Amino acid sequence: MKISARNVLKGKIVSVEKGATTAHVKIEVGPGQVVTSAITNEAVDSLKLTVGGEAYAVVKASDVMIAVD
Amino acid sequence: MKISARNVLKGKIVSVEKGATTAHVKIEVGPGQVVTSAITNEAVDSLKLTVGGEAYAVVKASDVMIAVD
Amino acid sequence: MKISARNVLKGKIVSVEKGATTAHVKIEVGPGQVVTSAITNEAVDSLKLTVGGEAYAVVKASDVMIAVD
Amino acid sequence: MKISARNVLKGKIVSVEKGATTAHVKIEVGPGQVVTSAITNEAVDSLKLTVGGEAYAVVKASDVMIAVD
Amino acid sequence: MKISARNVLKGKIVSVEKGATTAHVKIEVGPGQVVTSAITNEAVDSLKLTVGGEAYAVVKASDVMIAVD
Amino acid sequence: MKISARNVLKGKIVSVEKGATTAHVKIEVGPGQVVTSAITNEAVDSLKLTVGGEAYAVVKASDVMIAVD
């Protein structure tokens, strides 16, 4: 499957924390660069996400803001 | 200003393309890792975004999806 | 590629309208049910989206609201 | 009230699962087509959402991605 | 129609700027407080949005970030 | 830090409710106008958000919908 989302960053899962309904998954996409994702517990189970596994952080371009110092 | 968004990736602006109302800004946040952002033309002007400048790509955790092969 | 987004609706592309930077793509996902998507022109080109083609509308659960009469 | 969101899919609520703060509500919008929504528990109470009730899944066009095989 | 989105701010439209596909609509929701919205041109036409009209800015809670100085 | 998000509404925190992973923070941005935000518990801790503190509600223009009666 190819997706229209412009941002697909490959990395390794460094943490999976399930809540009551919402889980937080962290992926290291570069040295010292960790991306945090909030998804459903259901998606964690469906994709069998576990620490150490390879995964992609996917973000639609319209969800990316820019900041400057 | 500190923001609740969990993802703040530092990089260098590699392209700024203005449309009629919406601009696309690309930031290289790591070697070969380019993040694409769709923001208003107004924000590009307000933040004086230009190619070569330092900037951050900012993404709320709830806007990050996870994918696996 | 499997994605965490909980909503993946299969359909047929019924319209592709490119703007200066942002395109609108409409997919019929059921009889009389058309889903409208706003994505980058770049994604339209990259995925070679054209009228009549099969495609999926993909939506993260946290981007779905509920309304009642 | 009329809303700018381009996607308003009518259906029947098939599940309501409250978490600590975030609820997951599923709506069947067509035969075999279930849409999952993550909203606040507060919204579930305010709209009195219950299984079997009629409801709409509402999605802004800029939150819809497109994928192809 | 009642919607799950927790934020519905009433105001007056102070500007409508159509682009090629995406429009920017500004609503004054309080003295000196202007909210900017990016929606489809199609929605502007469908809702007949014009300067001076009353309207609501609607935002899902999961799309609101918090910042501090 | 300056951010591209067009909507930055100043106010006072009136409630902070942590869930298992997701917190709800409410900010009064004008007389009787309360904005609800859903962010990670982690962000609440990182920004030391507490009732009575000053804070900003930040929303990207593409996440604002418009509604009319």
Side-chain angles (χ1 to χ4, degrees):
Chain A
M1 198 174 78
K2 282 185 66 180
I3 196 156
S4 61
R6 292 298 81 198
N7 302 296
V8 181
L9 301 173
K10 194 174 187 171
K12 199 172 281 264
I13 299 172
V14 293
S15 109
V16 176
E17 179 197 8
K18 278 187 173 182
T21 51
T22 307
H24 292 168
V25 179
K26 291 175 190 274
I27 299 187
E28 189 172 38
V29 296
Q33 269 185 326
V34 174
V35 170
T36 300
S37 161
I39 59 176
T40 59
N41 285 347
E42 195 184 295
V44 169
D45 294 340
S46 166
L47 271 64
K48 298 180 181 27
L49 303 177
T50 48
V51 172
E54 288 206 336
Y56 302 87
V58 179
V59 184
K60 196 173 185 303
S62 55
D63 287 328
V64 180
M65 290 160 287
I66 304 291
V68 293
D69 281 322
Chain B
M1 197 173 79
K2 283 184 65 180
I3 195 157
S4 61
R6 293 297 82 199
N7 302 295
V8 181
L9 301 173
K10 193 172 188 173
K12 199 172 279 264
I13 300 172
V14 293
S15 109
V16 176
E17 179 197 7
K18 278 188 174 180
T21 50
T22 307
H24 292 169
V25 178
K26 289 174 191 276
I27 299 187
E28 189 173 36
V29 297
Q33 269 185 325
V34 173
V35 170
T36 300
S37 160
I39 59 176
T40 60
N41 285 348
E42 197 184 296
V44 170
D45 293 342
S46 166
L47 271 63
K48 298 183 180 29
L49 302 178
T50 50
V51 172
E54 289 204 336
Y56 303 87
V58 179
V59 184
K60 197 173 184 304
S62 55
D63 287 328
V64 180
M65 289 160 289
I66 305 291
V68 293
D69 281 321
Chain C
M1 197 174 79
K2 282 184 67 181
I3 196 156
S4 61
R6 293 296 83 198
N7 301 295
V8 181
L9 302 173
K10 193 173 188 172
K12 197 171 280 261
I13 300 172
V14 291
S15 111
V16 177
E17 180 197 8
K18 278 188 174 181
T21 50
T22 307
H24 292 169
V25 178
K26 289 175 193 275
I27 299 188
E28 190 173 36
V29 298
Q33 269 186 325
V34 174
V35 170
T36 300
S37 160
I39 59 176
T40 60
N41 285 347
E42 197 184 295
V44 170
D45 294 342
S46 165
L47 271 62
K48 298 183 180 29
L49 302 178
T50 49
V51 172
E54 289 205 338
Y56 302 87
V58 179
V59 183
K60 196 173 185 304
S62 55
D63 287 328
V64 179
M65 289 161 288
I66 304 291
V68 292
D69 280 321
Chain D
M1 198 173 79
K2 283 184 64 181
I3 197 156
S4 61
R6 293 298 81 197
N7 302 297
V8 181
L9 301 173
K10 193 174 188 171
K12 199 172 280 264
I13 300 172
V14 292
S15 108
V16 176
E17 179 197 8
K18 279 188 172 181
T21 51
T22 307
H24 292 169
V25 178
K26 291 174 191 275
I27 299 187
E28 189 172 37
V29 297
Q33 269 185 325
V34 174
V35 170
T36 300
S37 161
I39 60 177
T40 59
N41 285 347
E42 196 184 295
V44 169
D45 294 340
S46 166
L47 271 63
K48 299 181 181 23
L49 302 178
T50 48
V51 173
E54 289 206 336
Y56 303 87
V58 179
V59 184
K60 197 173 183 303
S62 54
D63 287 329
V64 180
M65 291 161 287
I66 304 291
V68 292
D69 280 322
Chain E
M1 197 173 79
K2 283 184 66 180
I3 196 157
S4 61
R6 292 298 83 197
N7 302 295
V8 181
L9 301 173
K10 193 173 188 172
K12 199 172 278 263
I13 300 172
V14 292
S15 110
V16 177
E17 178 197 9
K18 278 188 172 180
T21 51
T22 307
H24 292 168
V25 178
K26 290 175 192 273
I27 299 187
E28 189 173 36
V29 297
Q33 270 185 324
V34 174
V35 170
T36 299
S37 160
I39 58 176
T40 60
N41 285 347
E42 198 184 296
V44 170
D45 294 340
S46 166
L47 271 64
K48 300 184 178 30
L49 303 177
T50 49
V51 172
E54 289 205 336
Y56 302 86
V58 179
V59 184
K60 197 173 184 304
S62 55
D63 287 328
V64 180
M65 290 161 287
I66 304 291
V68 292
D69 281 320
Chain F
M1 199 173 77
K2 281 183 67 179
I3 195 156
S4 61
R6 292 298 82 197
N7 303 296
V8 181
L9 301 173
K10 192 174 189 170
K12 198 171 280 262
I13 299 172
V14 292
S15 110
V16 176
E17 180 197 7
K18 279 188 172 182
T21 51
T22 308
H24 291 169
V25 179
K26 290 174 190 275
I27 299 187
E28 189 172 38
V29 297
Q33 270 185 325
V34 174
V35 170
T36 300
S37 161
I39 59 177
T40 59
N41 285 347
E42 195 184 296
V44 169
D45 294 340
S46 166
L47 271 64
K48 300 181 181 23
L49 302 178
T50 49
V51 172
E54 289 205 337
Y56 303 87
V58 179
V59 183
K60 196 173 184 302
S62 55
D63 286 328
V64 180
M65 289 161 288
I66 304 290
V68 292
D69 281 321

